[in-house]
Amino acid sequence: MEDQTTALAPILYLKDLAAAIDFYKNVFDAIEKWRVSNPDGSVHVAEMIIGAALLRMHEEVSNDNNFSPETVGGTTVVMGLLVPDPDAVAAKATAAGATVLSPVKDYEYGYRQGTIKDPFGHHWMIEKKTAEPPLGSE
């Protein structure tokens, strides 16, 4: 068994994991590491890599109150995805069916970013660090 360092591995709950896997592969160049399928062929759980980030996906589990944004009608988490070209990734996402929540633009705290909602209801802040943010206010 290999040594493991501390890392954050978010889990997105979804109704249709197969469609989400295809979307994340197409838009974010995600690589599928593994999946476990249900007897009916639908995907139960999967793990992907986006750049150096680990992303897990799981079908809804109502008895644990783990629901998709579709079911709850919103989300409480925004996934921040740092990329070399946020404009290109946001454009690719919208071409694949995502909705722009806030267009990509430069912010005074040193980031170029915009937010999209993927077709499954998850919000993604597509961003790039452009400068060091100010340490404090005068």
Side-chain angles (χ1 to χ4, degrees), residues 25-135:
K25 283 180 177 180
N26 177 43
V27 173
F28 302 140
D29 297 325
I31 298 167
E32 184 177 345
K33 289 186 65 179
W34 54 264
R35 73 169 67 185
V36 175
S37 295
N38 294 311
D40 68 1
S42 63
V43 183
H44 173 68
V45 64
E47 188 171 88
M48 301 185 87
I49 297 285
I50 302 174
L54 183 63
L55 175 66
R56 294 182 177 144
M57 294 170 288
H58 201 289
E59 64 186 348
E60 289 186 323
V61 184
S62 60
N63 60 331
D64 288 339
N65 291 320
N66 293 323
F67 298 108
S68 71
E70 279 182 272
T71 298
V72 299
T75 186
T76 61
V77 175
V78 176
M79 301 293 291
L81 184 63
L82 289 122
V83 297
D85 187 348
D87 296 272
V89 173
K92 192 174 182 182
T94 55
T99 303
V100 174
L101 299 177
S102 62
V104 175
K105 67 178 189 175
D106 292 317
Y107 287 88
E108 68 278 359
Y109 45 83
Y111 281 84
R112 180 162 183 77
Q113 62 192 36
T115 305
I116 57 116
K117 179 171 75 170
D118 71 25
F120 319 100
H122 291 285
H123 294 195
W124 294 82
M125 183 177 293
I126 312 300
E127 55 190 322
K128 175 183 180 175
K129 188 174 184 179
T130 57
E132 288 300 318
L135 291 177

